[in-house]
Amino acid sequence: MIYLPREKAKELIGELGFSKFFIDVIDEKLDSPLSIYFGCPTLYYLNDEEQKAYNLGNILPLWEDAGGYMQYAYDIDKKDYICFDIEDGDASSRYTWDELIKSVIDTLIEHEYDDHENLEETISAVKLLLADLNIENFDKLSADIKSEWENS
């Protein structure tokens, strides 16, 4: 990984056209329950040498999962997304934005489901939670998830 301190990452987020949401993630300004699912990537707590040891190239870490192990990042050179376990740094899988965000939406629906009357209400609540991400095709992705839930 090319060394990337928080301040430079926040500049890159703007330059690359990512939502300000990710600046809030890095600054740890999200409220619950989003702060549970979108943590500041552990990589930003590492120094130059420690970051380079991951050998991930030119990436922009965006968030980490609730457990702090899975790191989600944008590969600047390949223009796609990776996720990897902070313990081994293996980023063998690559994702499109839609694939990655669909998995986030699905996880949020699963975790928020018990707090609502039905799946439609849960999806509406998740859409509201993720409003700052400006997910243009949220309705399509959530409809796909709903269909998968109903057919499983």
Side-chain angles (χ1 to χ4, degrees), residues 27-65:
D27 287 339
E28 301 178 80
K29 290 184 176 180
L30 296 182
D31 294 326
S32 183
L34 283 181
S35 59
I36 296 168
Y37 304 106
F38 292 92
C40 178
T42 299
L43 294 168
Y44 292 120
Y45 295 101
L46 305 178
N47 65 32
D48 180 19
E49 191 174 298
E50 292 167 328
Q51 280 189 8
K52 285 182 183 174
Y54 280 95
N55 198 29
L56 294 169
N58 194 14
I59 66 167
L60 172 61
L62 296 170
W63 79 89
E64 70 180 20
D65 73 353

Side-chain angles (χ1 to χ4, degrees), residues 132-149:
D132 288 342
L133 262 173
N134 302 318
I135 303 168
E136 293 177 15
N137 58 345
F138 181 94
D139 293 335
K140 181 195 178 321
L141 295 173
S142 62
D144 291 347
I145 293 166
K146 181 180 177 188
S147 176
E148 290 166 12
W149 275 47

Side-chain angles (χ1 to χ4, degrees), residues 15 37-38 70 73 80 86 104 123 125 140:
E15 290 170 17
Y37 304 106
F38 292 92
M70 292 306 295
D80 62 6
I86 192 71
V104 169
I123 290 170
K140 181 195 178 321

